[in-house]
Structure formats: structure tokens, C-alpha cells
Amino acid sequence: MQLNLTKPICFFDLETTGINISKDRIVEISILKVFPNGKEESKTWLVNPEMPIPKEVTEIHGITNEKVANQPTFKELAKEVYNMIKDSDLSGFNSNRFDIPLLAEEMLRADIDFDMKNRLAIDVQTIFHKMEQRTLSAAYKFYCDKDLEGAHSAEADTNATYEVLKAQIAKYDEVENDTKFLAEFSSRKKFADFAGFIAYNKEGVECFSFGKHKGKLVTEVLEKEPGYFGWLLNADFPLYTKKVLTSIKLRSFNNKL
């Protein structure tokens, strides 16, 4: 089975210091890049997160503070990682809710203007949950009839995710071998930002999905309550959410000119 691709797709997985997208950092990243002609290339990096890795997190992925102490920081690796993924769609396991948002935060901290405007995102976990309701190890066993050795190692999880997606396409007639279909099928509610603070309403217009302005149009809130924008920029929101808010505000300003 070969994926029907119109552009390269990068399967990737992150091991991190925790699950807080705004505050936690990458300690390992593995990327498997698949080209339309079937060619594959892969790369795995250990990353110095510049913060302690909690003991309970190390017990999950096995990466200690000592193991990453002399590794490059993400800022030092950012250009190399970006060059590998810049022309590609992205795919992972729970990647729409975790890996892509956290990668975006790290890219923005490294002064790389990362966004998803010209790429698709395929979340293999969402397809799996829609069809079978399990975990990655169970998915690998169910679809590929293999035991996932080295689970919670970024490389093992990345390769397993790639194999699972191909097996899903082969198993289900309704799951098309087309990246646009797969991205739409594996998406949840449409959000303008990765963290889900800004959603699209039925008309495709951005609105807040939290707090006192939940359900209200972002442009209307920012116009009627200018101080709210400043509060959002200074509060503990992800950098990508702030980038989206700034873009909406600038677009609204330019539309008035």
C-alpha cells in the first residue's frame, strides 16, 4: 500500500516535558517524510528543553535530564526541522490536539513564522477513534498485527503511526487514499488556532470559544472592548493563539481602510 500523495507528508511524534502546550518543551522529535513517489527519509533529534524533565514524565518516555543535557536546544534545531517539513502536510497520533500545537509554539519561540495555512493535517488517532476507539499500541496490534516495541520512543511511535494509517486506508472502503479527505475525516471542530480558543461558527467566521465572550465574533469583541485584546496578549495563552488574534485584528483594521 502506497499513500496517494500530491505533496510530501511528514509523520512526526514529540516527546516532551509535559502536556501544557504553552509551557512545556520538546525533548525528542522524530520525523518520517514520505514523498509522492514513495521515497522516504527520516530524522530523529534529542532536544535540550532548557527546563527540568519531571520524574513522572521520564518514567513514561525514558528520557532523562542527563540524556539531553548536552543536546542542542530546539532554537538551534528549528531551521533544520522547518526545512524538512516546510513543503509537507503533517500527520501524527493525536497531532491535531497536541503535537502540532506544541511544535507551533516551539517554532514561534525560535522566531520561525510557522502556520498551517498551506498544509493539511491528518490525525491518525481521530480516524482510529472514529473507527475502533483504542490507543496507538492497540491500533498497531489491531491494524498491523504487531506488538509496538519501544512505545513512547518518538521513532517507534512515528513509524507505527505511518504503518497504521496505511493499514486504515486498506481496511476501510470509506477511508479514501487522499490527503485532503484524510485531513477532513481526522479533524474535529474547526478552530482558527491550534489550542481551540478561537473557533469558526457556521458561517466560517472566527468567534471566541471560551470565557465571558464565548460564541461572540472576535472582530466585534475587539472593536467594542479594545482592552480585551491587550489582556489576551499579556495573558498565558499560546503564542499561536496570540498570532491568530493579531492577524484577525489587523485584517479588521485593513478592511476599514
Side-chain angles (χ1 to χ4, degrees):
M1 147 71 68
Q2 183 170 314
L3 293 181
N4 182 19
L5 304 175
T6 56
K7 65 189 291 188
I9 184 169
C10 285
F11 293 83
F12 79 105
D13 185 70
L14 306 178
E15 302 303 334
T16 66
T17 58
I19 59 173
N20 187 311
I21 290 169
S22 299
K23 296 180 179 179
D24 281 304
R25 300 291 190 268
I26 295 171
V27 297
E28 185 179 33
I29 177 171
S30 185
I31 301 174
L32 171 63
K33 187 171 185 176
V34 183
F35 294 85
N37 64 3
K39 175 188 171 185
E40 300 174 11
E41 65 178 61
S42 63
K43 181 75 176 177
T44 300
W45 299 266
L46 281 171
V47 184
N48 182 340
E50 301 181 279
M51 66 181 293
I53 305 171
K55 180 181 177 182
E56 60 271 20
V57 177
T58 293
E59 289 173 354
I60 295 173
H61 54 48
I63 300 172
T64 63
N65 290 300
E66 293 74 22
K67 191 172 182 179
V68 296
N70 297 317
Q71 298 298 326
T73 65
F74 188 84
K75 190 163 188 176
E76 293 170 324
L77 293 170
K79 286 186 178 178
E80 185 179 358
V81 173
Y82 182 74
N83 286 336
M84 189 167 183
I85 68 174
K86 64 183 180 181
D87 62 343
S88 306
D89 294 326
L90 296 178
S91 181
F93 199 83
N94 194 33
S95 50
N96 284 357
R97 292 195 294 179
F98 182 72
D99 299 84
I100 291 176
L102 201 146
L103 178 63
E105 290 297 293
E106 291 277 38
M107 286 288 185
L108 291 172
R109 288 187 201 106
D111 299 319
I112 292 179
D113 190 16
F114 176 87
D115 62 46
M116 294 292 293
K117 289 178 182 176
N118 297 312
R119 67 176 98 230
L120 300 173
I122 299 172
D123 193 328
V124 175
Q125 186 194 60
T126 303
I127 296 174
F128 183 38
H129 285 179
K130 283 186 174 181
M131 308 307 289
E132 302 296 342
Q133 307 291 313
R134 302 278 175 86
T135 62
L136 178 57
S137 295
Y140 196 54
K141 182 67 176 178
F142 181 86
Y143 289 109
C144 306
D145 197 24
K146 299 176 185 177
D147 293 320
L148 180 51
E149 298 179 6
H152 296 299
S153 120
E155 185 172 0
D157 289 357
T158 294
N159 291 329
T161 299
Y162 175 44
E163 289 188 49
V164 168
L165 178 60
K166 291 191 292 182
Q168 287 173 330
I169 294 168
K171 181 176 179 62
Y172 304 114
D173 291 338
E174 63 267 41
V175 178
E176 299 176 16
N177 189 354
D178 175 82
T179 49
K180 185 175 181 181
F181 170 87
L182 293 168
E184 291 176 353
F185 189 75
S186 64
S187 67
R188 293 179 171 87
K189 185 176 180 180
K190 296 290 185 181
F191 291 100
D193 66 330
F194 295 131
F197 291 109
I198 306 170
Y200 290 107
N201 62 16
K202 293 180 180 179
E203 289 72 40
V205 181
E206 300 96 341
C207 60
F208 287 109
S209 62
F210 72 100
K212 65 179 182 179
H213 293 305
K214 184 175 182 179
K216 297 179 182 178
L217 298 182
V218 173
T219 51
E220 291 182 359
V221 172
L222 297 185
E223 183 174 352
K224 294 177 181 178
E225 195 176 329
Y228 194 60
F229 178 71
W231 175 79
L232 289 167
L233 292 188
N234 290 313
D236 189 22
F237 287 96
L239 294 175
Y240 196 86
T241 299
K242 296 177 182 180
K243 170 185 164 79
V244 170
L245 282 168
T246 302
S247 176
I248 295 170
K249 187 174 178 65
L250 288 173
R251 186 186 68 206
S252 178
F253 176 77
N254 290 331
N255 288 340
K256 293 178 180 179
L257 295 179

